[in-house]
Amino acid sequence: EPEVTQTPSHQVTQMGQEVILRCVPISNHLYFYWYRQILGQKVEFLVSFYNNEISEKSEIFDDQFSVERPDGSNFTLKIRSTKLEDSAMYFCASSGGASDYSRGTQYFGPGTRLTVL
Amino acid sequence: ILNVEQSPQSLHVQEGDSTNFTCSFPSSNFYALHWYRWETAKSPEALFVMTLNGDEKKKGRISATLNTKEGYSYLYIKGSQPEDSATYLCARLQGSSNTGKLIFGQGTTLQVKP
């Protein structure tokens, strides 16, 4: 069964460093998302991406964040200068789109745990 | 701002017990509600997408109902098994199509003791 994969599973970085989190969505999906969960808090939306551009972004997704689909298979989230408060589990998700049979189900990857020291 | 709430926060039951949890959400401009099952170190697994008032969905021993007028959904597990131990998340879709963002509740963590 197709699945969303994410690498690495755990990333430790120093404050101020750049990190890139990688995701491989399900191959025929058209819509891509990043969410995160800070420990003890709710899973929260960061950004959605369609047709090579951002569809929607949250207030969290400021100029330090960027997303890219560089090669038609990978979907990346870059944090340019990490802060302590960026420590969280980051989830990638993909969906088939408005007319897909799964009624917009978003399929999630296992997450990347980012620890900023 | 959408606020989705789940209760209880955690639940401990014995194997064979049936259980249920609640997801509450604002009922205005409702489009869809998603339920996920999330085991530690694994991907959240999609259980149901519910759209219509009165919807009932079933997957094995797990079922869910939806009331969009009053803004709640119930998830039921019949005859809980240790492998049902997980966090169950509900999320309301925000937007006017099924490609919008999900607004999550805090989850209900279920522990089933053998």
Side-chain angles (χ1 to χ4, degrees), chain B residues 23-38:
Chain B
C23 173
S24 304
F25 50 85
S27 56
S28 60
N29 300 314
F30 177 85
Y31 193 89
L33 188 83
H34 295 228
W35 278 100
Y36 288 88
R37 179 178 178 277
W38 183 24

Side-chain angles (χ1 to χ4, degrees), chain B residues 35-51:
Chain B
W35 278 100
Y36 288 88
R37 179 178 178 277
W38 183 24
E39 287 183 71
T40 305
K42 294 187 179 179
S43 303
E45 174 197 353
L47 291 174
F48 306 115
V49 178
M50 309 183 78
T51 56

